[in-house]
Amino acid sequence: MIRFDFERLIENIVRQNEHVSSCCCVGEFDTDYKRGRVPIVFIVTCRDISTTQDAVLFQVQTSVEAELGERYWPKEYVMIEKLPLTSDGKVDYRTVEKMAEAIS
């Protein structure tokens, strides 16, 4: 599996939000996009947050849009309970890609 730089950039920006526990960004194929891939971000929030998920999504989206050009803006932000992990405890990107395919 190939990870693109824009995916890492987006993950770094999203992780800066104090209410985000973890996140994962994958590129999903999209025939309408110039490069053929658009980012989809999966976000896990901290358990004890005092703000709504909508507020967190707005904060994250605003941060990403302020840092990156429009062509790198995610197609979608998805809130999930937890990220799938491999037996080594790392993010299972193949499973996350399948999740992205299912929603697009």
Side-chain angles (χ1 to χ4, degrees):
M1 181 186 60
I2 299 171
R3 296 266 298 145
F4 293 89
D5 286 339
F6 71 83
E7 295 168 347
R8 289 187 192 98
L9 287 171
I10 292 170
E11 288 174 352
N12 289 337
I13 295 167
V14 172
R15 282 190 197 108
Q16 291 175 11
N17 186 291
E18 64 183 325
H19 303 297
V20 173
S21 170
S22 59
C23 69
C24 179
C25 179
V26 293
E28 178 60 33
F29 287 104
D30 187 344
T31 56
D32 296 333
Y33 197 68
K34 291 179 185 176
R35 292 192 173 230
R37 294 176 71 87
V38 293
I40 297 177
V41 181
F42 292 87
I43 300 171
V44 179
T45 57
C46 299
R47 296 251 183 248
D48 56 347
I49 63 171
S50 59
T51 187
T52 66
Q53 287 189 347
D54 288 340
V56 174
L57 283 174
F58 178 77
Q59 292 170 0
V60 166
Q61 184 176 4
T62 302
S63 297
V64 170
E65 290 178 2
E67 294 282 328
L68 300 175
E70 185 175 349
R71 68 189 256 175
Y72 296 111
W73 292 354
K75 174 182 177 181
E76 195 159 348
Y77 296 86
V78 181
M79 303 299 275
I80 58 176
E81 296 258 338
K82 65 180 183 174
L83 289 170
L85 303 176
T86 64
S87 59
D88 294 335
K90 296 180 180 181
V91 174
D92 185 348
Y93 284 98
R94 294 186 200 285
T95 300
V96 176
E97 284 180 337
K98 289 177 186 173
M99 293 166 55
E101 288 173 10
I103 63 170
S104 57

